Amino acid sequence: MILNSKCILCFIVGVLGVYHVQAQTSVPVEKQTDSLEEVLITATRTQRQLSSLPLPAQIISKETIAQSGSVRLSDILAEQTGLITVPDYGGGEGIQIQGLDSQYILILIDGVPLVGRSAGTLDLYRITVGNIKQIEVVKGASSSLYGSDALGGVINIITESPQKPFQSAINYRGGSLNSHDLSLNTGVKEERLALSLFANRYSSDGYDLDESTSLQTVEPFTNYTAQVKGKYDFSEATSLLLSSRFYAQNQEYKASEILSGESDITEWNGQVLFSQQFTDKITSTLELYGTNYHTESYLQDEEGAENSRSFYDQTLLRPELRTVYALNDKHNFIGGIGYTYESLERTDFSQDPVFKAPYVYVQYDTHLLNNLNIIAGARYDMHNVYRSQLSPKLAARYKVDNSLAFKASVGSGFKAPAFRQLYFDFTNATVGYTVLGYEAVPTAIAEMQARGELANIIVPVSEFDDSLKPETSVNINLGVDYKFSKLLTTSLNLFRNNLNNLIDTRIIATKTNGQSVFSYVNVNESFTQGLEFSYTYNPFKNISFSGGYQLLFAKDKEAVEAFEAGTVYGRTSANASAFVLDKKDYFGLYNRSRHTANFKVFYNLPQYKADVNMRATYRSKYGLSDTNGNGYLDNYDTFVDGYAIVDFAVNKVLYKNITLGAGIDNLLNFTDTQNVTNIPGRLYFAKLNLTL
Amino acid sequence: MNTFKTLAAIALILGFVSCSNDDDATPLLEVETETVANLHAPQSGGQGQPVSGAFTKFDFETGAETTSETDWDVAFRGTTIIVNGGESQGTTDEPERTGDAAVYIADGTMSTVTDVDASLFTQDSASGFAIATGSGNGWYNYTGAPSHLINPIPGKILVFRTTAGLYAKVEIISYYENAPAEPDAFSDATPYYTFNYVYQPNAGVTTF
């Protein structure tokens, strides 16, 4: 699908024209220094001050995003302590939190989940930051509120709502790779009605890190995002919110010199919130949410004959009713009941599956003592395919005095088996191997046997009688917040995640063509643990230093035992004899860096109406695959070298309502053609912000 | 094909043991520790296409490649390794098994695998080769993208019973020509087997 950008432009300009252009004094770009005012909703589903929360959480403000010059969600998340963006095959970018990868992180927009993952990875590059009020990140398991997928954490993107009678802004950023990002924001707020409209167009020529191949690392693309949001207050107690978001991308798709085509994504999200305050203590909200994610791609040869065509179409519908009961300042209850309906149609599937999952949750948030806040909650998820899950959570924060507080939380998380892990039925046309979803195994194996394609059955089909179990985790956080002074605040968090029933692939049969048949199985138990440290230091009025560090150990328990038992062997080089590896030689899971760190300086120059900032991130070495063939990542494997990315940006208010900016991303021009496909070389950009 | 011959310390030890135990017996032959480099074992087809091409046969007794139809112990084609014992799977150009050779894969290193466990021997059969094919099943791992390397699994020792009923243990070192320290699947030629082996030439001796 190709959208006509001019149409959208005309529409926006038309809408703008309806209202009188009111010159307003521009809001000075200043970093919010008083963190007491920072409020988030993701951690408890009620408004809570970030600084008093018993859970590890953070907020990324609109100001930070604007000053950094970021345009996509992955740009800004990559600069945060404990958030690591990881490239996916095919150019997507996922996120890793507390050592858990993208498939275990829930991504929400205004509290409702995005769907459309490629092999578990939700591509953060898909999401524009042009209309974001703030990004809320809660680390650790949150299935007690959000159900499936919330093991490593929840990222909630809160979109803007109009705060003034009329506001409108145009943002443009252009730069290297022929990239152009244009956003239009407009909103009106009257006594009862608030309306906002957002449109974004983003295009880029992509980039090519390895020019020896005919394919680019990222092929050229154009995408559009539009969101309309309206809220009407019938009275002080009753309100209705309607929101609809639309995303479309068209990208060139190449498989070889001969085969090329296009790949398209369209995504739609719709949300209706009806809120009724019954008494000053009880408020209920009925939320209806629906989303559809559709991709389609094709390849054709030089003569234009179609080589392949594939599609993916996922729909999620979710009504939810929740009620907040605020007894008084000290006791706050929230409860919710909902139903998730999810369906998927795609190529290479044994059937068109449907998930039906009713759920119920409750949470009690209390300031038991003046200095002690306790949150206790649980959620029960039922499902038509796998067994029910109970996810409890308990968290506490004890404030010793105004400068010192201790936090602790323990919670459980789970992830339901993905559709592909249950229903995939795929045979690679060129190599000849087969991947079968767990539920697809009995039928598919019988068919392959009948066709005489199987040489040997390694795992009997009877083992697939039971259903595949959800992956589960227990998450523990122990933290301390310490304010050395008004100028220097620090926060330390120790975390541990115990993961069970992790789903992995195994060979269940061999084929007469010498290839294997793979399917999924609950096998692995692993853990991630480490510490996260962050600080902000404002030595002078207009300068702010901040930074953070994460230490991470992510290991498979079976691997730890194998190394301890001395049954793992390695080689010093590919042509040397094997020897027994020591337990210290086990490095851990793939794609996990032991050390990650960031450092940022934001400097305001009010006399020049300007600000300047520098942000640096570092990621230590990590392994992407087992290169010496023993099945584990050990110290004798080949690692991806650690690297640092430094970004620089400057902004200046030119007139009252015009801000110009410029910057350099990846100042050091770091690239790793083979292993780090999500980082192009040095990028220059300029941007313009016009507010009306 | 280069063949290197070195004297094994194990042979000396065995020699001392046998001397002290039984002075009258015929002196035992020395255990042979050898390296075979660049045993070329090409195949045609693969990647989903029917596989064909003659297997490259090897005889532990002579320590050399052979074209004999009967007097061979182990044979190679691509990543497939067969023994001269059991049944043919009937793939194109696959030789008939004329002997009673057998093999099993032991976990360990050349220095820790010192005894033959006769109960573990298996032969090729219609349902599968004694050394299973496929990544992670037998002697190698395929790394997949982006390096696409075939690596011998470290710690896998192939223990053979030869057609003559004697024993040999083998550690495969490399699948790439000249066994580079850092092979490149795109530029280094395959399949060129480099392997170390220890051959026990004495009948009835089940240690190396």
Side-chain angles (χ1 to χ4, degrees):
Chain A
M1 213 200 79
I2 299 172
L3 288 177
N4 189 335
S5 59
K6 281 179 187 158
C7 269
I8 290 185
L9 259 171
C10 293
F11 179 51
I12 301 297
V13 172
V15 169
L16 288 173
V18 170
Y19 301 97
H20 298 289
V21 178
Q22 297 176 333
Q24 300 210 351
T25 41
S26 69
V27 185
V29 185
E30 243 177 37
K31 223 175 122 54
Q32 210 169 19
T33 44
D34 192 354
S35 61
L36 284 175
E37 286 173 20
E38 289 192 305
V39 163
L40 80 173
I41 192 160
T42 312
T44 57
R45 303 194 87 155
T46 53
Q47 297 286 346
R48 277 293 305 260
Q49 268 182 8
L50 175 66
S51 57
S52 72
L53 201 68
L55 304 166
Q58 69 197 78
I59 291 174
I60 304 157
S61 69
K62 180 184 163 72
E63 286 75 16
T64 304
I65 297 170
Q67 290 187 350
S68 306
S70 305
V71 288
R72 310 310 285 183
L73 186 61
S74 43
D75 300 339
I76 192 72
L77 290 185
E79 297 175 1
Q80 312 306 316
T81 305
L83 306 186
I84 299 147
T85 54
V86 173
D88 182 35
Y89 294 110
E93 229 177 333
I95 188 99
Q96 202 180 80
I97 300 180
Q98 291 193 351
L100 280 86
D101 62 31
S102 187
Q103 59 177 325
Y104 305 109
I105 314 292
L106 190 61
I107 311 281
L108 310 171
I109 289 193
D110 292 322
V112 283
L114 288 179
V115 299
R117 290 168 183 256
S118 164
T121 300
L122 199 142
D123 184 10
L124 301 169
Y125 218 72
R126 207 165 95 197
I127 302 152
T128 173
V129 296
N131 66 332
I132 290 180
K133 183 186 155 221
Q134 64 184 25
I135 301 164
E136 304 178 358
V137 182
V138 177
K139 291 170 184 168
S142 294
S143 289
S144 62
L145 279 178
Y146 295 100
S148 183
D149 300 1
L151 288 89
V154 178
I155 296 173
N156 194 358
I157 297 138
I158 311 294
T159 62
E160 273 187 296
S161 296
Q163 303 298 322
K164 292 183 286 185
F166 173 78
Q167 64 189 62
S168 208
I170 297 173
N171 282 287
Y172 169 77
R173 171 178 148 154
S176 310
L177 314 178
N178 193 22
S179 68
H180 303 276
D181 183 271
L182 178 66
S183 284
L184 298 133
N185 266 304
T186 185
V188 285
K189 187 175 158 66
E190 290 174 359
E191 202 177 328
R192 290 170 180 274
L193 179 73
L195 260 179
S196 62
L197 191 64
F198 168 74
N200 170 266
R201 179 189 187 274
Y202 180 49
S203 66
S204 165
D205 284 350
Y207 54 91
D208 193 10
L209 292 171
D210 184 1
E211 300 199 339
S212 66
T213 63
S214 63
L215 309 180
Q216 285 204 162
T217 309
V218 173
E219 301 289 348
F221 62 85
T222 303
N223 64 45
Y224 300 89
T225 309
Q227 185 170 13
V228 186
K229 201 156 79 165
K231 188 177 179 223
Y232 186 77
D233 296 321
F234 295 96
S235 66
E236 284 207 347
T238 310
S239 70
L240 177 70
L241 182 140
L242 299 169
S243 172
S244 183
R245 176 181 169 273
F246 183 72
Y247 171 81
Q249 175 169 280
N250 173 268
Q251 184 166 29
E252 287 179 26
Y253 179 35
K254 280 188 186 150
S256 68
E257 266 175 60
I258 306 156
L259 296 175
S260 66
E262 288 184 1
S263 95
D264 289 311
I265 302 171
T266 50
E267 183 187 14
W268 171 83
N269 318 69
Q271 189 182 15
V272 179
L273 274 175
F274 181 73
S275 214
Q276 173 71 46
Q277 188 175 355
F278 294 104
T279 70
D280 58 350
K281 288 175 180 165
I282 299 175
T283 304
S284 284
T285 303
L286 178 65
E287 179 178 79
L288 306 173
Y289 175 62
T291 181
N292 176 265
Y293 177 84
H294 183 94
T295 70
E296 210 159 331
S297 60
Y298 69 89
L299 288 171
Q300 41 187 224
D301 62 22
E302 286 162 315
E303 272 99 52
E306 188 162 290
N307 171 271
S308 70
R309 182 172 284 273
S310 63
F311 72 96
Y312 179 102
D313 191 284
Q314 187 177 4
T315 302
L316 181 141
L317 300 172
R318 174 181 292 170
E320 180 177 299
L321 177 68
R322 57 179 173 265
T323 299
V324 177
Y325 175 53
L327 183 65
N328 52 39
D329 286 351
K330 294 193 166 171
H331 304 281
N332 195 315
F333 296 86
I334 182 166
I337 183 164
Y339 182 91
T340 304
Y341 174 93
E342 205 176 351
S343 68
L344 178 65
E345 289 177 41
R346 63 170 286 190
T347 28
D348 302 314
F349 253 43
S350 62
Q351 54 175 284
D352 295 338
V354 171
F355 281 171
K356 296 170 188 170
Y359 61 89
V360 56
Y361 61 84
V362 289
Q363 179 188 265
Y364 173 45
D365 183 353
T366 174
H367 285 81
L368 209 55
L369 307 168
N370 272 342
N371 291 336
L372 180 64
N373 175 215
I374 290 175
I375 297 174
R379 171 162 159 149
Y380 190 68
D381 284 90
M382 286 152 277
H383 201 279
N384 64 328
V385 177
Y386 62 87
R387 70 177 183 198
S388 303
Q389 289 294 311
L390 177 69
S391 315
K393 182 158 183 166
L394 185 65
R397 182 177 193 272
Y398 182 71
K399 189 175 153 186
V400 179
D401 56 39
N402 281 334
S403 60
L404 179 66
F406 293 98
K407 302 191 280 194
S409 65
V410 54
S412 63
F414 80 96
K415 179 183 179 298
F419 281 122
R420 73 174 192 291
Q421 292 164 335
L422 296 173
Y423 306 108
F424 210 27
D425 184 353
F426 169 75
T427 297
N428 183 296
T430 44
V431 183
Y433 64 87
T434 298
V435 185
L436 296 175
Y438 194 90
E439 300 283 324
V441 166
T443 322
I445 286 287
E447 284 171 5
M448 291 171 81
Q449 216 161 13
R451 289 196 297 267
E453 291 172 9
L454 294 183
N456 214 346
I457 292 185
I458 294 165
V459 179
V461 173
S462 60
E463 282 201 19
F464 293 85
D465 288 349
D466 299 332
S467 57
L468 198 60
K469 296 187 196 81
E471 299 167 278
T472 58
S473 77
V474 175
N475 165 245
I476 300 166
N477 292 291
L478 293 172
V480 54
D481 295 336
Y482 186 66
K483 246 187 214 182
F484 284 91
S485 68
K486 272 191 176 172
L487 307 179
L488 178 63
T489 59
T490 61
S491 169
L492 178 73
N493 187 50
L494 305 175
F495 61 85
R496 163 107 183 174
N497 291 286
N498 282 325
L499 297 142
N500 293 310
N501 287 330
L502 291 184
I503 296 172
D504 202 354
T505 51
R506 65 171 163 175
I507 292 165
I508 60 164
T510 53
K511 298 173 75 172
T512 47
N513 65 6
Q515 296 295 327
S516 301
V517 180
F518 299 87
S519 186
Y520 299 90
V521 63
N522 291 111
V523 273
N524 296 342
E525 291 188 5
S526 57
F527 67 86
T528 72
Q529 64 183 24
L531 69 84
E532 189 184 305
F533 172 74
S534 59
Y535 68 92
T536 55
Y537 179 50
N538 305 305
F540 309 107
K541 196 183 165 207
N542 287 312
I543 192 158
S544 165
F545 296 96
S546 63
Y549 167 77
Q550 179 183 270
L551 174 69
L552 174 69
F553 296 89
K555 293 184 172 181
D556 182 278
K557 286 183 188 169
E558 182 270 333
V560 171
E561 283 164 19
F563 275 80
E564 279 174 358
T567 55
V568 183
Y569 305 88
R571 304 172 192 275
T572 49
S573 69
N575 58 1
S577 271
F579 63 98
V580 180
L581 291 175
D582 189 78
K583 63 180 177 185
K584 289 197 295 288
D585 291 326
Y586 177 46
F587 188 83
L589 302 181
Y590 300 116
N591 216 337
R592 267 68 171 187
S593 294
R594 188 132 302 153
H595 312 282
T596 48
N598 68 82
F599 175 72
K600 295 171 223 170
V601 192
F602 284 83
Y603 188 30
N604 275 324
L605 300 145
Q607 67 274 37
Y608 301 112
K609 290 186 179 170
D611 65 80
V612 53
N613 65 77
M614 179 99 83
R615 295 107 55 209
T617 56
Y618 169 76
R619 165 168 201 198
S620 70
K621 72 165 188 178
Y622 58 98
L624 280 180
S625 63
D626 162 42
T627 54
N628 61 12
N630 63 8
Y632 302 100
L633 184 64
D634 59 75
N635 289 334
Y636 296 91
D637 280 312
T638 308
F639 286 81
V640 180
D641 293 336
Y643 61 85
I645 301 291
V646 177
D647 297 336
F648 168 81
V650 57
N651 299 288
K652 170 155 175 59
V653 179
L654 213 56
Y655 299 104
K656 276 182 178 174
N657 55 355
I658 299 176
T659 306
L660 280 180
I664 303 168
D665 286 343
N666 193 4
L667 197 63
L668 306 177
N669 198 21
F670 164 81
T671 54
D672 180 335
T673 37
Q674 285 304 312
N675 302 305
V676 189
T677 53
N678 59 334
I679 297 175
R682 189 183 297 127
L683 300 177
Y684 302 90
F685 67 86
K687 59 189 214 109
L688 167 75
N689 166 264
L690 179 68
T691 45
L692 303 171
Chain B
M1 198 182 79
N2 303 314
T3 307
F4 303 102
K5 212 163 195 175
T6 52
L7 215 147
I10 293 164
L12 281 173
I13 295 161
L14 279 173
F16 285 128
V17 171
S18 57
C19 281
S20 60
N21 281 352
D22 190 354
D23 287 344
D24 300 330
T26 329
L28 287 171
L29 296 167
E30 280 174 12
V31 173
E32 297 163 19
T33 298
E34 318 233 3
T35 297
V36 173
N38 294 327
L39 182 88
H40 191 208
Q43 69 170 26
S44 307
Q47 298 272 306
Q49 302 302 312
V51 177
S52 63
F55 277 77
T56 303
K57 305 190 194 91
F58 185 83
D59 181 21
F60 286 112
E61 196 180 344
T62 59
E65 224 180 289
T66 175
T67 51
S68 164
E69 304 266 309
T70 54
D71 202 7
W72 58 279
D73 297 314
V74 55
F76 304 82
R77 184 174 72 186
T79 57
T80 304
I81 301 177
I82 61 172
V83 288
N84 191 4
E87 278 180 78
S88 167
Q89 281 207 356
T91 63
T92 312
D93 300 326
E94 186 183 333
E96 282 308 310
R97 311 302 195 275
T98 57
D100 193 31
V103 67
Y104 69 87
I105 300 177
D107 288 329
T109 63
M110 284 299 258
S111 55
T112 62
V113 176
T114 53
D115 295 290
V116 174
D117 184 345
S119 69
L120 298 175
F121 280 115
T122 53
Q123 296 185 318
D124 294 340
S125 74
S127 65
F129 293 125
I131 299 172
T133 56
S135 171
N137 302 336
W139 67 270
Y140 73 91
N141 262 326
Y142 168 61
T143 58
S147 58
H148 299 284
L149 285 169
I150 300 278
N151 289 314
I153 301 172
K156 297 289 179 192
I157 303 298
L158 312 183
V159 180
F160 286 92
R161 183 176 72 213
T162 68
T163 44
L166 302 173
Y167 302 110
K169 61 179 177 182
V170 171
E171 180 184 28
I172 298 173
I173 296 295
S174 181
Y175 187 64
Y176 296 91
E177 193 173 23
N178 299 326
E182 290 179 8
D184 180 335
F186 299 97
S187 59
D188 288 313
T190 64
Y192 287 90
Y193 282 89
T194 294
F195 58 88
N196 295 327
Y197 75 90
V198 173
Y199 176 61
Q200 173 54 271
N202 299 293
V205 181
T206 59
T207 56
F208 295 105

